[in-house]
Amino acid sequence: MATPTLRELLLALGEQLGIPDLALDEQNSCSMSVDELYSVDIQWQPEASRLHLVTVVSTLPPPEQQTLTYRLLMEANLFGMATGGAYFAASEALGEVLLIRTLEAAHLDLAQLMQALDDFVPALKFWTQRLAHGVT
């Protein structure tokens, strides 16, 4: 069976999730809402043939909490076990802590993309709530 094109894959994903005409914009990105509380961006990196699931889980921690917060996030990154296979990144420019899941697009199908989202969404919910309460 042939691997679907990215356009076909996003349309099928949108159909499964009730998001008609899900497609990339001019910046190779699209966004979807999860439980009307969270946002997941899908970003296409054509030069590497990678698809990224991206969400903001927190603003950057205040300076007095950075060491403890980043230690917690780095431990959670270990083999992706506490992140659903995703990893954390901090953006000073945006002032945000991001959760990102990178998928190789070459042979990606709808079942694999749905599984990646099924793993990603609980992690984004957990870490958004966990970081909202501060790290102690």
Side-chain angles (χ1 to χ4, degrees), residues 38 57 82 120-132:
Y38 309 97
V57 291
F120 188 75
V121 168
L124 89 82
K125 290 178 179 181
F126 174 82
W127 287 105
T128 300
Q129 292 170 7
R130 174 70 173 89
L131 295 173

Side-chain angles (χ1 to χ4, degrees), residues 41-111:
D41 293 337
I42 298 175
Q43 298 179 359
W44 170 236
Q45 186 183 9
E47 65 279 1
S49 191
R50 291 189 182 124
L51 203 62
H52 303 281
L53 306 177
V54 182
T55 192
V56 175
V57 291
S58 176
T59 57
L60 290 178
E64 65 275 6
Q65 291 186 352
Q66 285 181 354
T67 300
L68 193 56
T69 300
Y70 292 147
R71 181 177 294 141
L72 174 69
L73 297 179
M74 293 309 297
E75 287 177 11
N77 271 346
L78 185 63
F79 302 116
M81 296 195 44
T83 59
Y87 56 90
F88 291 104
S91 172
E92 288 287 334
L94 298 173
E96 299 170 335
V97 175
L98 306 169
L99 184 65
I100 303 168
R101 173 81 187 262
T102 299
L103 305 166
E104 298 298 328
H107 302 287
L108 188 64
D109 64 22
L110 181 59

Side-chain angles (χ1 to χ4, degrees), residues 6-19:
L6 182 58
R7 183 179 182 286
E8 293 168 338
L9 187 60
L10 291 176
L11 283 172
L13 176 66
E15 201 173 287
Q16 286 283 317
L17 300 176
I19 306 170

Side-chain angles (χ1 to χ4, degrees), residues 106-120:
H107 302 287
L108 188 64
D109 64 22
L110 181 59
Q112 293 165 326
L113 181 54
M114 289 294 295
Q115 185 61 58
L117 279 167
D118 286 347
D119 295 340
F120 188 75

